[in-house]
């Protein structure tokens, strides 16, 4: 028979910290009591009682002049404020993960959001979390959440912030998140299930699927122990829930190939070892000795160590990493990447392995602060030095600017680019490059002085020269390009078609009559152009923008004919009349005699450039492409109408 002990069985770091704190105070003879059971395990509580520590049920029962140990589940804000008012010395053993949740719900309420706590409503941890906000909502699962949402008309539109009891299961949390994302319009989610809890539950699930018997060790009042048993029963028919080794006598050991042992977070190592030893007579193969696993669970880390862990949770502010030691690791989002535009989900996902550097090991808070960004910086120096030696092009983001130039972050390393090497015109402020992604070459590296210098313009010039050479090699009349307007003059626009500038004459910008190119394009516009002619010797390119599929005279003749009325725009005044644009690129003449139904001394007396007027098309010279227009024809009655009006009325 093979017996396998789950690697994460037993005390989590929060419980271990609480017990060690209590034992230390007892050993020091500090007069204090515990507020409630410091952990859900009667054997541990009995041991502490032997050492002189006992518990009280309510804050007011703490004697004057006596300190108090806050259990790992935490307490409400009101309890802490009461102790502060009374001058009671507090030894806070609240699990750091739970303290983190207190801060989340308190901040959410300050921002006008409603905290929603997913967990067992009467659990001490949940009661403590709820005590850090005025109007929390506590739901035990998705069905409970559905009932609460249906209890008010506007609840689905409220700004909600979801957190979870640290010992809840991923299934309960995921079901609630799925429900909320589907029905709520403004919800934030903080997966605060303890990474150690998630790992312990997943190990138990996988181990139970392989074993004929699962033994779950822990106090029957412990929430996380009961959840472990529930998870094991999903995959294994035989599950024993026992509190200590002697409880095994109530059961008959079945004939199975493999027995799995796991334990809740409140189960001390010595109880697990007793259970493990009691089964020793039945053991034929031991996968790993208890002593070795215990040694692994308490191994220590030092600042600067490089570690690899598994991502167990991602929140809007940090990433939780399981390192396989007694403390969890946390990577703040600011320590994840040096790229300000990168999204967390593009770098890591839950379940991924991630490499990082230890920044700080906090025994007080029971956590390890990590940084992936700083590890990347160390690697970045090696890549920067290689880029300088090989003259390779690197990419980075401009993070700072000053009169002397800009600072570019490349692989987490600060690279200074002098103003003369930015490629910006002399009068352009350096701030134009802020937060932009740029390509540059490294021109100087001094790692001892942490000085790196680079050039953006060298890359720009080289790339532009290469692009220009490609354009001149492939250019031909009629070829189309997408370019950028670089500058405007009175006679046209210069367009960059990929390293080479070509000129679009004002007459080629539009079929309409225009006075300046700015009426059609502006600097920076992206435009489609075609090559009219290219002189490779003189390096001159003539470009066009007008769409020849819309030839103006063809558009006019297919739209209008003699006798039609058109709304036209006056474009030019002459002594003998006014020219008007009928369609873009086609003008007609309104003779001075046709401008009004009365004598006109000069065209400017009745119309002005830019006016829009209705005219009648009186003649079209197809051969010379000339059009005659008349306003007068629309103002005077026709010949037939005049004849009818002048005819004598027949006498009756």
């Amino acid at each position: 028979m093979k017996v396998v002990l789950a690697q994460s069985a037993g005390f989590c770091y929060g419980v271990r910290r609480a017990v060690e704190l209590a034992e230390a105070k007892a050993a020091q003879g500090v007069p204090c009591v515990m507020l409630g059971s410091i952990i859900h395990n009667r054997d541990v509580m009995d041991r502490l009682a032997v050492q002189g520590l006992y518990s009280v049920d309510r804050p007011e029962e703490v004697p004057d002049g006596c300190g108090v140990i806050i259990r790992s589940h935490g307490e409400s804000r009101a309890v802490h404020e009461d102790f502060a008012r009374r001058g009671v010395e507090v030894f806070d053993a609240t699990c750091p993960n739970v303290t983190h949740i207190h801060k989340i719900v308190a901040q959410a309420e300050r921002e006008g959001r409603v905290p929603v706590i997913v967990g067992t409503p009467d659990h001490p941890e949940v009661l403590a979390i709820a005590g850090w906000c005025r109007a929390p909502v506590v739901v035990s699962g998705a069905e409970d959440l559905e009932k609460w949402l249906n209890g008010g008309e506007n609840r689905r539109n409220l700004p909600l912030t979801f957190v979870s009891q640290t010992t809840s299961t991923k299934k309960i949390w995921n079901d609630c998140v799925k429900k909320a994302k589907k029905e709520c319009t403004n919800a934030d989610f903080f997966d605060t299930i303890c990474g150690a809890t998630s790992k312990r539950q997943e190990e138990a699930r996988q181990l139970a699927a392989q074993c004929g018997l699962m033994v779950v060790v822990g106090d029957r009042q412990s929430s996380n122990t009961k959840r472990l048993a529930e998870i094991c029963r999903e995959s294994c028919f035989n599950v024993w829930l026992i509190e200590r080794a002697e409880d095994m006598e109530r059961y008959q050991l079945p004939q199975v190939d493999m027995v799995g042992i796991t334990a809740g977070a409140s189960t001390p190592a010595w109880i697990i070892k007793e259970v493990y030893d009691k089964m020793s007579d039945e053991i034929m193969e031991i996968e790993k000795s208890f002593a070795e696993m215990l040694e692994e669970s308490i191994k220590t880390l030092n600042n600067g160590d490089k570690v690899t862990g598994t991502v167990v949770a991602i929140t809007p502010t940090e990433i939780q990493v399981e390192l396989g030691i007694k403390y969890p690791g946390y990577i703040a989002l600011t320590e994840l990447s040096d790229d300000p535009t990168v999204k967390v989900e593009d770098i890591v996902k839950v379940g991924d392995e991630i490499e990082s550097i230890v920044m700080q090991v906090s025994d007080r808070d029971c956590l390890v602060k990590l940084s992936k960004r700083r590890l990347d910086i160390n690697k970045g120096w090696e890549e920067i030095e290689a880029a300088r030696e090989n003259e390779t092009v690197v990419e980075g983001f401009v993070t700072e600017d000053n009169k002397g130039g800009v600072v570019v972050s490349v692989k987490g390393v600060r690279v200074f680019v002098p103003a003369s090497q930015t490629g910006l015109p002399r009068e352009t402020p350096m701030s134009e490059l802020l937060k932009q992604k740029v390509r540059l070459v490294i021109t100087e590296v001094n790692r001892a002085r942490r000085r790196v210098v680079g050039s953006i313009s060298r890359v720009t010039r080289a790339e532009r020269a290469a692009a220009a050479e490609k354009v001149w090699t492939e250019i031909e009349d009629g070829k189309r390009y997408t370019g950028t307007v670089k500058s405007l003059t009175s006679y046209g626009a210069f367009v960059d078609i990929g390293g080479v500038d070509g000129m679009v004459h004002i007459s080629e910008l539009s079929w309409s009559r225009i006075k300046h190119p700015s009426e059609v394009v502006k600097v920076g516009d992206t435009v489609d152009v075609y090559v009219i002619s290219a002189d490779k010797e003189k390096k001159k390119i003539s470009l066009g923008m007008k769409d020849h599929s819309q030839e103006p005279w063809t558009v006019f003749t297919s739209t209008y004919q003699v006798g039609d009325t058109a709304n036209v725009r006056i474009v030019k005044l002459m002594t003998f009349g006014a020219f008007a644009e009928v369609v873009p690129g086609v003008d007609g003449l309104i003779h001075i005699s046709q401008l009004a139904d009365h004598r006109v001394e000069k065209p400017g007396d009745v119309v002005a450039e830019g006016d829009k007027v209705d005219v009648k098309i009186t003649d079209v010279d197809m051969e010379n492409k000339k059009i005659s227009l008349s306003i007068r024809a629309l103002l005077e009655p026709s010949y037939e109408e005049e004849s009818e009006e002048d005819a004598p009325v027949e006498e009756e």
Side-chain angles (χ1 to χ4, degrees):
M1 182 179 295
K2 183 178 181 180
V3 177
V4 180
L5 177 63
Q7 190 173 13
S8 299
F11 275 0
C12 66
Y13 50 89
V15 171
R16 181 183 293 109
R17 172 174 174 265
V19 173
E20 289 176 352
L21 174 63
E23 290 177 337
K25 296 306 171 187
Q28 295 166 8
V30 177
C32 61
V33 296
M34 298 176 291
L35 181 56
S37 298
I38 195 166
I39 63 170
H40 280 155
N41 189 285
R42 286 179 293 174
D43 292 284
V44 173
M45 293 300 293
D46 290 343
R47 279 200 171 194
L48 292 173
V50 171
Q51 297 176 54
L53 279 177
Y54 66 93
S55 64
V56 296
D57 295 327
R58 297 186 301 276
E60 54 268 27
E61 294 177 2
V62 176
D64 292 336
C66 185
V68 63
I69 299 175
I70 301 294
R71 56 187 168 179
S72 57
H73 300 113
E75 289 292 346
S76 68
R77 188 205 308 269
V79 169
H80 282 271
E81 290 175 347
D82 178 61
F83 286 146
R85 181 182 55 80
R86 291 171 53 192
V88 175
E89 186 176 9
V90 173
F91 305 107
D92 195 352
T94 305
C95 172
N97 286 346
V98 177
T99 301
H100 183 57
I101 303 174
H102 295 172
K103 294 176 181 177
I104 292 173
V105 297
Q107 178 64 28
E109 200 163 68
R110 283 195 295 271
E111 295 173 354
R113 305 184 68 83
V114 178
V116 180
I117 307 165
V118 179
T120 306
D122 59 352
H123 191 278
E125 179 189 315
V126 174
L127 295 174
I129 296 170
W132 284 86
C133 38
R134 293 185 300 276
V137 176
V138 180
V139 296
S140 58
E143 291 184 7
D144 208 8
L145 174 61
E146 176 72 19
K147 291 178 184 177
W148 180 79
L149 291 173
N150 292 334
E153 292 183 5
N154 197 40
R155 289 181 176 178
R156 284 173 170 79
N157 297 322
L158 290 174
L160 307 176
T161 294
F162 284 77
V163 297
S164 174
Q165 179 181 340
T166 58
T167 54
S168 184
T169 65
K170 281 290 185 183
K171 183 180 186 307
I172 293 175
W173 170 253
N174 290 339
D175 287 348
C176 287
V177 171
K178 183 178 180 182
K179 170 70 68 176
K181 285 185 176 180
K182 182 179 179 181
E183 301 194 19
C184 301
T185 60
N186 184 0
D188 287 342
F189 303 95
F190 290 81
D191 183 354
T192 52
I193 296 177
C194 172
T197 297
S198 298
K199 185 176 181 182
R200 181 184 295 106
Q201 291 175 351
E202 184 57 32
E203 282 184 4
R205 180 180 289 107
Q206 294 178 7
L207 188 56
Q210 304 172 42
C211 296
L213 169 64
M214 276 298 297
V215 179
V216 181
V217 187
D219 195 292
R220 294 180 182 276
Q221 302 305 312
S222 168
S223 174
N224 70 82
T225 301
K226 288 189 286 187
R227 290 196 188 281
L228 273 181
E230 292 169 4
I231 290 170
C232 291
R233 289 191 180 101
E234 294 173 2
S235 306
C236 182
F237 179 75
N238 290 310
V239 177
W240 297 354
L241 175 54
I242 62 175
E243 294 188 349
R244 55 188 64 83
E246 50 265 35
D247 292 347
M248 294 171 57
E249 297 174 359
R250 302 198 309 266
Y251 300 95
Q252 182 175 355
L253 188 64
Q255 294 297 315
V256 294
D257 294 330
M258 185 184 295
V259 175
I261 300 177
T262 187
S266 300
T267 309
W270 54 270
I271 290 183
I272 302 173
K273 191 172 187 305
E274 284 182 356
V275 172
Y276 192 84
D277 289 345
K278 192 169 182 63
M279 298 186 70
S280 61
D281 291 341
E282 307 293 333
I283 295 173
M284 296 177 63
E285 181 181 349
I286 300 176
E287 188 178 72
K288 197 170 188 180
S289 76
F290 183 84
E292 288 174 340
M293 284 187 284
L294 191 60
E295 179 67 24
E296 268 192 15
S297 72
I298 61 173
K299 66 183 179 183
T300 58
L301 294 176
N302 298 307
N303 292 352
D305 285 354
K306 186 166 70 174
V307 295
T308 300
T310 303
V311 176
V312 294
I314 299 175
T315 76
T317 58
E318 61 193 7
I319 294 170
Q320 186 176 341
V321 181
E322 176 59 49
L323 299 171
I325 62 172
K326 63 179 180 179
Y327 295 163
Y330 289 95
I331 303 176
L333 295 191
T334 54
E335 292 296 329
L336 183 62
S337 172
D338 199 58
D339 184 347
T341 66
V342 77
K343 296 180 180 179
V344 177
E345 56 269 25
D346 293 336
I347 299 179
V348 293
K349 296 179 179 61
V350 173
D352 287 353
E353 281 198 347
I354 188 169
E355 199 174 31
S356 56
I357 278 182
V358 176
M359 293 171 56
Q360 180 186 0
V361 179
S362 175
D363 291 318
R364 183 177 66 84
D365 295 326
C366 287
L367 56 84
V368 181
K369 293 182 180 179
L370 305 170
S371 174
K372 180 180 182 298
R373 181 179 68 86
R374 299 190 188 192
L375 178 65
D376 292 341
I377 290 175
N378 290 344
K379 294 179 179 178
W381 274 103
E382 298 173 2
E383 295 183 28
I384 288 287
E385 290 172 336
R388 169 67 183 91
E389 184 177 343
N390 301 324
E391 297 185 351
T392 54
V393 176
V394 295
E395 292 184 344
F397 283 87
V398 178
T399 58
E400 303 173 36
D401 73 291
N402 53 53
K403 292 182 179 179
V406 297
V407 174
V408 182
S409 178
V410 180
K411 306 291 185 182
V413 178
R414 289 165 52 90
V415 180
F416 177 67
V417 178
S420 62
Q421 297 299 311
T422 60
L424 293 176
R426 186 180 297 275
E427 301 301 323
T428 305
M430 296 294 105
S431 57
E432 288 288 318
L433 288 175
L434 270 180
K435 297 183 180 179
Q436 288 193 26
K437 190 175 186 178
V438 295
R439 291 163 57 79
L440 65 159
V441 291
I442 305 301
T443 58
E444 179 186 337
V445 177
N446 188 326
R447 191 165 183 176
R449 296 178 57 192
R450 304 188 73 79
R451 172 180 168 83
V452 185
V453 180
S455 172
I456 298 172
S457 59
R458 273 180 52 179
V459 175
T460 306
R461 287 195 301 268
E463 291 178 344
R464 186 173 176 83
E469 184 179 351
K470 185 174 186 293
V471 169
W472 285 115
T473 301
E474 301 175 353
I475 200 166
E476 57 184 23
D477 292 357
K479 187 166 184 176
R480 292 187 169 274
Y481 293 93
T482 297
T484 304
V485 178
K486 304 299 287 185
S487 63
L488 302 178
T489 67
S490 60
Y491 52 83
F494 285 91
V495 178
D496 181 354
I497 58 173
V500 178
D501 289 350
M503 204 267 287
V504 184
H505 192 269
I506 190 170
S507 62
E508 290 294 331
L509 282 169
S510 171
W511 289 111
S512 298
R513 187 193 299 267
I514 61 174
K515 293 184 177 181
H516 193 272
S518 58
E519 296 177 40
V520 180
V521 294
K522 63 181 183 294
V523 174
D525 281 356
T526 299
V527 294
D528 291 325
V529 295
Y530 57 88
V531 179
I532 296 176
S533 63
D535 188 332
K536 294 185 179 182
E537 290 185 4
K538 295 182 179 180
K539 300 294 183 184
K540 290 184 178 181
I541 302 173
S542 177
L543 302 172
M545 274 181 56
K546 294 191 298 190
D547 185 355
H548 284 276
S549 67
Q550 296 294 313
E551 199 279 323
W553 187 257
T554 303
V555 173
F556 168 74
T557 55
S558 63
T559 307
Y560 297 103
Q561 59 186 3
V562 175
D564 286 352
T565 298
N567 184 262
V568 300
R569 179 171 63 90
I570 305 298
V571 294
K572 191 172 184 180
L573 300 181
M574 306 294 288
T575 57
F576 53 83
F579 284 99
E581 182 183 68
V582 185
V583 298
V586 176
D587 296 345
L589 173 65
I590 310 173
H591 192 268
I592 192 170
S593 64
Q594 299 299 313
L595 282 170
D597 57 359
H598 57 272
R599 181 179 178 80
V600 176
E601 293 295 331
K602 58 181 183 295
D605 292 340
V606 290
V607 293
E609 289 186 11
D611 285 354
K612 287 192 173 183
V613 296
D614 289 332
V615 298
K616 185 173 184 178
I617 300 172
T618 58
D619 186 48
V620 177
D621 183 345
M622 297 295 289
E623 183 178 350
N624 296 307
K625 295 185 177 180
K626 292 184 178 180
I627 305 168
S628 297
L629 307 172
S630 174
I631 297 175
R632 180 179 176 181
L634 297 178
L635 301 175
E636 294 182 341
S638 65
Y639 174 77
E640 290 79 5
E641 290 173 336
E642 288 178 353
S643 300
E644 290 176 3
E645 290 174 0
D646 294 340
V649 179
E650 186 178 17
E651 291 185 5
E652 190 173 316

